[in-house]
């Protein structure tokens, strides 16, 4: 076997610079001569590894570098020098000092070269490496072996003992990568046997072709008559580019920065030492001798004394052990001194490639030192705990030795994070502050954040070789942590070459209070991602950024938005298209993958998967999350960032989609999988973890690098949805094996996957098979729901509609989402409109004229004034902004950025701005009857032939035959009025005309229906069906009878005509210095006569009473004449009388069935001295009810007290305008304080709004009691402004219902009186009944139902319910809604509520009359009606008088058992 040896490579040596001459001769010379002698015996070629520093005190110059030749030892003889080193040493010592050798190692190497060349019979090759450092490419960048090399050892000592003395000058470091040395050794030793010149040239990119061997240069270094060994210096040639090296000062800074980031050194000590090592000592110009003396005094002697004392005291602490281990190498700074303060220039056949980045390599050396130190620390932990962290058994590829950990629990020391942030080389003050905060947050939320440093190597090289205008950092997007982590890495590790980027954030981030401002200060700019065309500002932003720096670093998420499932999303191309088409120059795109074990917002993402509307980020949500962070409730495990080779993009690139796919393909290639991912996948698939691990290895998946920490594995998620999303982190590797049979599934898992594949791996086939079974099960459940919806009339449901009814099935939401994508065709349903003929009036929907009085125009087919209405617009950032037009209300003109999002979240819908229906239809289905001319002539005669006060126009008939129920508005909007409308409309202006009209109706057999403001929500103004009452119907509009007849200030009375609206009455009475105190929500449009006819109630009834308390006398025109009370003294009335039934008793609640109310005497009160407001927050609705009950027992109650349940309170919050910065901080502080109290939660808190009126003493007493009760019930005062805003919103909020109908949302309010003992049960049962009925009918979205307590009584309260739902795709939506409302009313009655508190019965509730009144009472009241109105002139058939007529029609549509008919 020995005879086959052809080459001997001698690389062994004692690399100890402080060895005695004798030991150096034995180790480095004798051994080498012996090995050369062995080579001679074997006739083998001999390669000797020397050092490049064999030239004594010579360093060379750029023009005359140190040659590849034996250094002349003249006048000293090499043989005698060798003998002297082994003997007396005086001769050798003198030569060493005379020739300027800094240590025995270099001196012994030089002597050895001379002795080796004397042997002429052995073909000898001498390789002279300079200071050897970690590899640059092979086996991977940063590899440094098992022990630190010289340059790495210096960094290790620098990090482990920062109190040592160093002197680092600005001279370049004469380094050479170890893989370069190895290549040269092989190349020079074996020549073309193993490597071709092409191979070498390929490795040394940019290297010139190897020159032919030339004759040695005669420089006086050697004897030219003797045949010398081939000598090759392995160092960068002096002609190499300047950027291919780095200075010792730079190296010192890099080590210090890295040590600070990784927590190896205290930053204060490290930076103080850096100041001395790189500034003070070089400035002093110390010689080696002086430096040695200082080092002995300041370092060596103190350390030796400390160790001596510790040994005597037998102290063996960790610090002492470390110091004892470091003692032998403490003199290393003196050995580096000659190299660190002089420049060396070498002649070499190796020229550094033009694209070689010296600073990049410098950082690699520092990283190698960090890894050695980390290995030592992990070994200590292993010896202490007996094991390392999970994952250490995996084969770890290259990533293990290329990792730097920059943040997390396992990193750094918290004491000096601020100092670190302030001393980083780059970053504005905002960025530095943000980095400091992030370092704290990362430490509390992540166990470690690691960076694959080697993966960033190509970036620096590519940047050096291209003139790129920008570098696009393109990380994956799974969490809002993504852009924080990417920027943090660029800041913490500037040596990576990735500058701090300008972040392309979503535009909705811009408007998050405070955060948006901080993001802008931190180099963020904002993209519009709404899918509605190109962002016109993007080109301007990119041009501005790129013009300011070259290259500009920009961070953008190619996927566009966070992946809710953690699977890859289809790449967006808008940003890339703008970059390629509009920005000149070339660009580098650096794909990177941010691998998470857990996610900060994992549960939020899972929740949002089943929601249509995404929850927005707000200051309060952020504060809640930060609170959880502070309490250590957030643990995402490990995070690892790895980059892919950059992609060069030139201007004018056409295949933008292909570019996006290429970016994503590289992102997928850097996906790492930890044991956490494997165990989570195992739990959801039901497959052993070893099978999953084997399948990953078979598919080339990269395992997560082990950290070596002792913390346990992150807990496997118990939530199946979270576990599935964890599996989806790497499930894309199985996508190609699903493509052939389940193409859609494959594309969902991997949007840009490759062609279908078949696997020969049994483990891969097992995983794919089990995955397919789960997906098919979810697919079957989706099909079942689709069939269920089809059976309920929804043939083309929306995706959100289907997903809503998948919530109760067994499969996790994430799988159902995937299955839904494969089965759904998303075709939005629409409300069917019938083709109705146009009416004769070409201006059908012309707004009403002003009749004689200057009354503001009222809306038609919608609530309110024409100049006041809500509009929905899209802001520049794509947000949906609601604004109320006009100036009537406090909310008018203010932008409401949260309302649309609130509606979308609560109803689980998406408001489509492009598909909103019209606010009204241009035709309406009203029967075109011809009113008898004789009747018209007779009526006009009564009116004095004033044709403006008589109308048979369709628009007037339609308005007077409807009110403001949802059915009325829906019918008017969509052109099909289902109820009968009057045949004519009349506007009388005096009681005499009313009497005459009634007499005419009696004679001509007409039916008269009184009409006030038309605000009823009971169908009270609907005409009875023609088959029930075929007579002509005439609506008597009382609005022209709006005068004040007399005022008696002394008695506190006012006599007013019944047609006056509440708004006008209040204004005119207040001018006299009084108030009536009656303010219903509809007061702007409802009339006095309507209040009396419906027995109305106002919000201030606590102080002023209801309408029955305010009205003292009433005048009614009946079919037999005027019904009134006679008084002998004019302009007054009896306050109270025990004289039997009064006309007032008949009028109150009569709903137009006894006659026409023409006037009334009202009680008036002086305008109160003080008006003020207050609001109270309480923990829950139950507590709120108890608080209201306590207030109801007050002798003097506040004028109004209202309790908003949590849903209505949150709706009120959504109606707030975007606050100022100060307002945002104030709201955030209020939220924080209330939450910190422990009893308050945003999901349960309720609000009480209170209005005070009265004398100062009264109000002060009431306010004190309100505060006292708030304390008793653990409430918190929210302030007068909140209370006032609540009341101001009362009148504006009424516009919302009809505004929502524009976007396929139908709604209604209904009220009831509830005894105290029944409130909580009734409210809960009613809400539950509405929700269950909604679900039973398989309706889309979720219903929104909230409640409000509005009036207090000793016995109970008035409760308002507000109910709305989505109707897109619902057939006959108005009917469906009415049926659910009817069922809700049944639930109210069965739980102790009344049929109505103040709206009246009309025809909507008349079917319930038999449930609340005895038949005897119904018969008695009917008899009274027949006696008063024998010919039924007032045949509106409301309440009791319509109960028989409408009970059957209602029951046809509603199953009283609660099971509604199928939606057909």
């Amino acid at each position: 076997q020995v005879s086959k040896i052809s080459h001997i490579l001698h690389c062994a040596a004692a690399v100890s610079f402080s060895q005695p001459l004798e030991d150096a001769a034995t180790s480095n010379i004798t051994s080498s001569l012996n090995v050369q002698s062995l080579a001679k015996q074997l006739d083998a070629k001999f390669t000797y590894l020397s050092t490049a520093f064999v030239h004594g005190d010579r360093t060379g110059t750029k023009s005359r570098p140190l040659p590849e030749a034996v250094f002349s030892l003249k006048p000293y003889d090499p043989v005698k020098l060798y003998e002297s080193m082994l003997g007396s040493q005086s001769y050798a010592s003198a030569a060493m000092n005379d020739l300027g050798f800094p240590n025995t190692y270099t001196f012994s190497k030089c002597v050895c070269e001379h002795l080796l060349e004397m042997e002429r019979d052995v073909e000898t090759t001498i390789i002279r490496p300079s200071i050897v450092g970690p590899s640059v490419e092979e086996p991977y960048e940063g590899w440094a072996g098992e022990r630190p090399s010289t340059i790495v050892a210096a960094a290790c000592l620098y990090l482990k003992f920062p109190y040592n003395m160093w002197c680092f000058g600005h001279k370049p470091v004469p380094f050479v990568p170890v893989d370069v040395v190895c290549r040269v050794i092989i190349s020079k030793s074996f020549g073309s046997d193993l490597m071709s010149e092409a191979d070498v040239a390929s490795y040394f990119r940019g290297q010139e072709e190897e020159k032919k061997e030339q004759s040695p240069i005669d420089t006086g270094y050697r004897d030219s008559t003797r045949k010398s060994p081939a000598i090759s210096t392995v160092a960068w040639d002096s002609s190499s580019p300047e950027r291919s090296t780095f200075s010792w000062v730079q190296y010192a800074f890099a080590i210090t920065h890295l040590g600070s980031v990784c927590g190896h050194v205290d930053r204060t000590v490290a930076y103080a030492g850096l100041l001395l090592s790189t500034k003070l000592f070089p400035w002093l110009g110390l010689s080696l001798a002086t430096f040695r003396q200082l080092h002995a005094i300041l370092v060596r002697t103190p350390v030796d004394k400390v160790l001596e004392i510790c040994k005597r005291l037998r102290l063996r602490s960790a610090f002492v052990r470390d110091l004892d281990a470091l003692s032998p190498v403490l003199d290393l700074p003196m050995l580096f001194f000659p190299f660190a303060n002089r420049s060396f220039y070498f002649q070499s056949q190796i020229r550094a490639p033009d694209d070689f980045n010296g600073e990049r390599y410098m950082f690699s050396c520092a990283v190698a030192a960090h890894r050695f130190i980390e290995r030592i620390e992990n070994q200590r932990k292993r010896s202490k705990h007996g094991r390392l962290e999970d994952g250490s058994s995996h084969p770890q590829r290259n990533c293990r030795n290329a990792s730097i950990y920059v943040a997390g629990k396992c990193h750094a020391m918290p004491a000096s994070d601020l100092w670190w942030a302030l001393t980083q080389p780059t970053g504005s003050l905002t960025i530095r502050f943000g980095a400091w905060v992030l370092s704290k947050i990362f430490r509390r939320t992540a166990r470690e954040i690691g960076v694959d440093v080697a993966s960033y190597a190509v970036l620096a090289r590519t940047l050096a070789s291209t003139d790129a205008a920008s570098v696009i950092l393109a990380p994956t997007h799974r969490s809002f942590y993504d852009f924080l982590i990417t920027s943090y890495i660029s800041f913490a590790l500037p040596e990576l070459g990735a500058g701090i980027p300008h972040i392309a954030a979503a535009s909705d981030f811009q408007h998050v209070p405070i955060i948006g401002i901080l993001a802008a200060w931190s180099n963020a700019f904002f993209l519009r991602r709404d899918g509605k065309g190109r962002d016109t500002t993007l080109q301007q932003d990119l041009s501005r950024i790129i013009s300011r720096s070259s290259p500009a670093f920009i961070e953008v998420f190619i996927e566009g938005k966070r992946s809710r499932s953690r699977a890859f999303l289809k790449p967006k191309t808008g940003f890339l298209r703008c970059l390629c088409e509009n920005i000149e120059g070339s660009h580098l795109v650096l794909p990177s993958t941010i691998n998470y074990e857990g996610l900060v917002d994992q549960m939020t993402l899972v929740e949002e998967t089943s929601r249509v509307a995404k929850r927005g980020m707000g200051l309060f949500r952020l504060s809640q999350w930060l609170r959880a962070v502070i309490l250590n409730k957030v643990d995402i495990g490990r995070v690892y960032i790895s980059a892919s080779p950059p992609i060069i993009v030139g201007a004018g690139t056409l295949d933008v989609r292909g570019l996006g796919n290429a970016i994503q393909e590289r992102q997928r290639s850097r996906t790492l999988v930890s044991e956490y991912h494997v165990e989570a996948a195992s739990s959801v698939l039901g497959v052993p973890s070893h099978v999953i691990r084997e399948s990953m290895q078979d598919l080339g998946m990269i395992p997560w690098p082990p950290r070596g920490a002792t913390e346990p594995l992150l807990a496997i998620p118990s939530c199946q949805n979270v576990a599935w999303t964890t599996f989806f982190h790497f499930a894309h590797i199985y996508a190609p094996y699903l493509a052939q049979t389940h193409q859609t599934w494959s594309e969902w898992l991997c949007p840009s996957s490759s062609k279908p594949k078949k696997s020969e791996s049994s483990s891969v086939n097992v995983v794919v098979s089990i995955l397919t079974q789960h997906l098919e099960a979810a697919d079957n459940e989706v099909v079942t729901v689709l069939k269920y919806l089809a059976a309920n009339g929804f043939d083309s449901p929306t995706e959100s509609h289907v997903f809503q009814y998948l919530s109760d099935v067994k499969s996790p939401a994430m799988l159902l989402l995937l299955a839904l994508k494969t089965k759904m065709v998303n075709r939005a349903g629409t409300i069917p409109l019938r083709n109705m003929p146009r009416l004769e009036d070409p201006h059908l929907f012309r707004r009403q004229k002003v009749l004689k009085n200057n009354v503001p125009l009222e809306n038609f087919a919608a609530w309110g004034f024409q100049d006041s209405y809500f509009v929905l617009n899209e802001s520049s950032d794509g947000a949906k902004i609601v604004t109320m037009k006009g100036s009537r209300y406090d909310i008018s003109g203010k932008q409401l950025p949260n309302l649309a999002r609130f509606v979308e979240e609560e109803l689980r819908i998406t408001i489509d701005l492009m598909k909103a229906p019209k606010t009204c239809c241009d035709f309406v289905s009203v029967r075109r009857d011809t009113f008898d001319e004789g009747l018209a002539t007779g009526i006009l005669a009564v009116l004095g032939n004033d044709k403006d006060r008589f109308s048979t126009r369709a628009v007037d008939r339609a308005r007077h035959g409807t009110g403001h129920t949802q059915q009325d508005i829906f019918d008017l909007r969509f052109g099909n009025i289902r109820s009968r409308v009057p045949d004519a409309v009349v506007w009388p202006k005096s009681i005499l005309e009313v009497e005459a009209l009634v007499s005419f109706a009696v004679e001509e057999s007409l039916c008269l229906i009184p009409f006030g403001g038309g605000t009823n929500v009971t169908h009270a103004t609907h005409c009875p069906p023609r088959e029930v009452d075929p007579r002509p119907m005439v609506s008597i509009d009382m609005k022209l009878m709006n005068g004040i007849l007399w005022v008696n200030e002394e008695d506190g009375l006012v006599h007013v005509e019944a047609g006056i609206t509440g708004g006008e009455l209040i204004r005119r009475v207040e001018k006299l210095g009084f108030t009536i105190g009656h303010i219903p929500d509809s007061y702007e449009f409802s009339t006095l006569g309507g209040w009396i006819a419906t027995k109305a109630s106002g919000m201030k009834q606590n102080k002023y009473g209801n309408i029955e308390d305010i009205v003292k006398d009433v005048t009614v025109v009946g079919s037999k004449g005027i019904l009134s009370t006679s008084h002998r003294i004019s302009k007054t009335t009896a306050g109270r009388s025990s004289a039997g039934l009064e006309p007032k008793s008949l009028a109150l609640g009569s709903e137009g069935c006894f006659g026409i109310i023409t006037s009334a005497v009202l009680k008036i009160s002086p305008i109160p001295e003080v008006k003020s407001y207050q609001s109270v927050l309480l923990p829950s609705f139950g507590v709120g009810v108890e608080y209201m009950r306590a207030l109801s027992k007050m002798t003097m109650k506040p004028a109004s007290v209202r309790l908003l349940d949590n849903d209505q309170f949150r709706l009120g919050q959504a109606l707030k305008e975007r606050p100022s910065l100060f307002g945002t901080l104030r709201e955030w502080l209020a939220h924080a304080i209330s939450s910190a109290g422990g009893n308050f939660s945003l999901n349960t808190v309720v609000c009480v709004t209170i209005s005070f009126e009265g004398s100062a003493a009264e109000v002060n007493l009431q306010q004190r009691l309100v505060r006292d009760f708030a304390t008793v019930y653990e409430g918190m005062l929210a302030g007068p402004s909140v209370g006032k805003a609540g009341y101001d919103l009362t009148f504006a909020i009424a516009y919302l219902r009809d505004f929502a109908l524009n976007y396929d949302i139908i709604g209604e309010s209904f009220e009831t009186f509830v005894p105290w003992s029944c409130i909580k049960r009734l409210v809960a049962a009613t809400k539950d009944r509405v929700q269950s009925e909604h679900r039973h009918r398989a309706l889309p979205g979720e219903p929104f139902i909230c409640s409000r307590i509005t009036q207090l009584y000793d016995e109970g309260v008035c409760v308002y319910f507000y109910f709305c739902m989505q109707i897109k795709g619902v057939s006959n939506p108005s009917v469906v809604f009415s049926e659910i409302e009817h069922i809700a009313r049944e639930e109210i009655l069965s739980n102790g509520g009344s049929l109505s508190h103040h709206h009246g019965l009309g025809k909507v509730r008349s079917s319930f009359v038999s449930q609340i009144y005895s038949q005897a009472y119904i018969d008695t009241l009917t008899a009274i009606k027949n006696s008063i109105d024998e010919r039924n002139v007032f045949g509106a058939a409301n309440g009791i008088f319509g109960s028989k007529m409408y009970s059957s029609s209602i029951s046809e549509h509603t199953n009283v058992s609660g099971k509604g008919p199928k939606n057909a």
Side-chain angles (χ1 to χ4, degrees), residues 288-453:
L288 177 59
T290 305
F291 183 75
R292 183 179 287 111
Q293 292 175 354
L294 286 174
H295 187 273
I297 296 171
L298 299 176
V299 179
R300 169 53 69 186
T301 301
V303 169
D304 290 344
K305 291 295 183 182
V306 169
L307 289 174
E308 182 181 352
I309 294 171
C310 292
K311 288 179 181 179
R312 289 181 180 180
L313 297 177
R314 297 183 179 180
L315 299 177
R316 295 296 295 170
S317 64
F319 171 76
V320 174
R321 291 195 300 271
D322 285 347
L323 196 61
D324 190 29
L326 291 171
S327 179
V329 295
L330 283 181
D331 293 334
L332 198 60
M334 289 180 292
L335 303 176
F336 268 91
F337 188 90
F339 306 103
N341 292 277
R342 294 193 295 173
S343 297
F344 289 85
Y345 299 94
F346 300 101
Q347 178 191 28
S348 173
Q349 297 178 13
I350 305 171
R351 184 180 183 275
D354 292 333
D355 60 353
F356 185 85
N357 190 318
E359 291 187 2
R360 164 72 189 169
Y361 181 77
M362 168 191 70
F363 190 67
S364 183
C365 296
V367 170
H370 153 71
R371 289 198 298 268
F372 279 115
I373 294 174
E374 190 178 42
R375 185 187 305 172
I376 294 172
E377 293 172 351
N378 287 338
Q379 287 173 350
R380 287 180 178 173
K381 291 178 181 178
R382 179 168 56 185
S383 63
K384 181 178 180 180
H385 298 280
R387 65 177 178 84
L388 288 177
E389 190 182 6
D390 71 286
S392 58
S393 61
H394 291 308
Q396 287 304 318
R397 301 196 179 186
N398 298 348
C399 56
R400 176 176 181 179
N401 287 327
S403 303
I404 287 291
Y405 297 89
V406 296
K409 292 183 177 70
C410 302
H411 168 75
M413 298 167 59
S416 53
D417 288 339
L418 181 59
W419 176 251
W420 164 78
L422 293 175
T423 54
Q424 283 294 95
T426 58
S428 65
L429 185 60
T430 304
I431 290 175
R432 293 176 188 275
F433 174 76
W436 173 66
V437 173
L438 287 178
S439 66
K440 302 291 187 184
I441 292 176
F442 289 155
R443 186 172 293 113
R444 287 184 174 272
T445 58
R447 300 186 180 184
E448 62 186 28
I449 297 179
V451 183
D452 182 2
V453 176

Side-chain angles (χ1 to χ4, degrees), residues 950-997:
F950 174 80
S951 176
T952 58
R953 294 190 313 153
V955 63
D956 292 323
R957 295 168 56 212
R959 177 64 187 95
H960 285 75
T962 56
H964 273 282
T965 64
Q966 58 82 17
Q967 177 183 321
D968 292 330
I969 300 302
F970 186 89
D971 287 354
L972 291 173
R973 290 284 183 90
F974 296 102
N976 181 29
I977 297 179
R978 287 165 286 173
S979 60
R980 182 183 178 187
V981 300
D983 301 294
V985 181
V986 178
W987 286 268
K989 61 180 181 181
S990 69
I991 189 171
L992 295 177
E993 288 185 346
V994 173
E995 286 185 87
L997 285 171

Side-chain angles (χ1 to χ4, degrees), residues 87 114 120 133 159 167 336 442 482 489 498 631 646 667 685 899 904 924 947 1048 1089 1167 1202 1220 1290 1350 1371:
H114 280 272
R120 301 181 179 181
L159 293 174
C167 183
F336 268 91
F442 289 155
D482 296 333
I489 291 171
L631 296 176
Q667 290 174 336
L685 292 176
L899 180 57
E904 288 181 324
V924 65
K947 295 182 179 180
N1048 186 333
I1167 293 177
R1202 303 193 301 187
S1220 62
T1290 300
T1350 58
S1371 297

Side-chain angles (χ1 to χ4, degrees), residues 1055-1084:
H1055 190 190
V1056 187
E1057 289 184 312
I1060 192 170
T1061 62
E1064 182 65 17
L1065 175 59
I1066 290 171
R1067 284 190 295 271
R1068 293 171 69 176
V1069 171
E1070 284 183 348
K1071 288 182 179 179
L1072 301 174
F1074 295 92
T1075 179
I1076 61 169
H1078 185 75
I1079 306 180
D1081 293 358
S1082 62
Y1083 85 98
E1084 296 166 299

Side-chain angles (χ1 to χ4, degrees), residues 405 545 602 633 808 892 1041 1111:
Y405 297 89
I545 292 169
Q602 179 67 75
K633 294 182 178 180
D808 295 334
S892 297
M1041 294 183 62
V1111 173

